[in-house]
């Protein structure tokens, strides 16, 4: 009785605003990204845990959670997965999600194309020559251009001969 109704929310990381499918993965992410000691790479469980570890083991103070977005670096907050997140931020997130839902619903009515492909295909260090693109076959074969050029030159020659 008197318990607050809690709507199931997709797990997300308070520190960097990333979505996760599973809270277990979120916790793994937080340990690896936000609660990892930058000196000995030990993974702690919470921000304060990391601060205490650094203080006791390395005699270093940590002034913010690593890899956190601005305003979310509070090392004192004991956040573990979805637990410990300040209520106001939970509310804000809920509002944001509702807004997003409405937007995606609108978008889905207009077009059913999803451009969710987010693979970062980083270009390698070696530069690719644009000439490789002709392999696609949409461009005229090169001998055409050469033929055109030679034709142009020969007509020019004849014109010159005729004029001279
Ligand atoms: Zn994160
Ligand atoms: Zn350490």
């Amino acid at each position: 009785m008197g318990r607050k109704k809690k709507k199931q929310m997709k797990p997300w990381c308070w520190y960097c605003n990333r979505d996760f499918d599973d809270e277990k993965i979120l916790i793994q992410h937080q340990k690896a990204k936000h609660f990892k000691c930058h000196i000995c790479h030990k993974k702690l469980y919470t921000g304060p845990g990391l601060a205490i570890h650094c203080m006791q083991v390395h005699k270093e103070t940590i002034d913010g959670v690593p890899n956190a977005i601005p305003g979310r670096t509070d090392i004192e907050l004991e956040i573990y997965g979805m637990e410990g997140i300040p209520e106001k931020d939970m509310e804000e997130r809920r509002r944001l999600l509702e807004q997003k839902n409405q937007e995606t619903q609108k978008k889905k009515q207009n077009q059913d194309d999803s451009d969710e492909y987010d693979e970062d295909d980083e270009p390698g260090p070696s530069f690719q020559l644009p000439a490789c693109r002709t392999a696609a076959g949409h461009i005229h074969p090169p001998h055409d251009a050469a033929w055109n050029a030679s034709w142009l030159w020969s007509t020019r020659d004849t014109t010159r001969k005729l004029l001279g």
Side-chain angles (χ1 to χ4, degrees):
M1 284 291 140
R3 214 159 30 127
K4 255 193 200 167
K5 225 199 228 171
K6 253 191 187 172
K7 232 173 139 188
Q8 264 302 99
M9 209 199 251
K10 205 180 169 191
W12 60 284
C13 178
W14 182 79
Y15 294 106
C16 67
N17 262 343
R18 255 178 76 175
D19 293 301
F20 291 88
D21 291 323
D22 200 315
E23 197 170 349
K24 269 186 231 146
I25 301 166
L26 165 64
I27 287 162
Q28 270 172 22
H29 156 85
Q30 286 180 334
K31 276 161 75 179
K33 278 270 169 184
H34 306 302
F35 307 145
K36 193 162 105 177
C37 172
H38 66 284
I39 301 159
C40 69
H41 298 162
K42 185 182 161 83
K43 288 173 187 168
L44 284 304
Y45 286 89
T46 58
L50 174 64
I52 290 164
H53 162 88
C54 283
M55 179 60 88
Q56 286 182 343
V57 180
H58 310 296
K59 309 267 176 281
E60 274 208 26
T61 39
I62 282 200
D63 40 58
V65 172
N67 304 310
I69 59 170
R72 296 275 167 92
T73 52
D74 197 342
I75 195 93
E76 308 261 288
L77 274 173
E78 204 151 321
I79 287 171
Y80 180 78
M82 291 284 283
E83 268 167 50
I85 297 171
E87 193 53 41
K88 69 172 176 63
D89 291 321
M90 287 295 267
E91 284 299 325
E92 200 188 298
R93 176 76 176 175
R94 237 170 255 152
R95 261 206 313 272
L96 213 100
L97 283 180
E98 265 164 40
Q99 250 176 40
K100 243 191 189 172
N101 269 347
Q102 279 167 6
E103 267 169 40
T104 39
Q105 267 169 11
K106 262 185 221 161
K107 255 187 200 168
K108 266 191 183 159
Q109 281 167 4
N110 290 339
Q111 56 178 68
D112 231 352
D113 262 351
S114 76
D115 39 18
E116 282 279 304
Y117 292 95
D118 218 24
E119 271 181 43
D120 281 329
D121 225 354
E122 276 183 49
S126 60
F127 232 75
Q128 275 219 334
L129 290 173
C132 297
R133 293 194 177 214
T134 51
H138 289 299
I139 290 165
H140 284 295
H143 70 260
D144 255 357
W147 186 85
N148 271 342
S150 64
W151 177 81
L152 198 81
W153 281 112
S154 63
T155 28
R156 255 202 204 175
D157 267 353
T158 8
T159 334
R160 221 176 261 158
K161 265 177 208 155
L162 283 171
L163 286 175

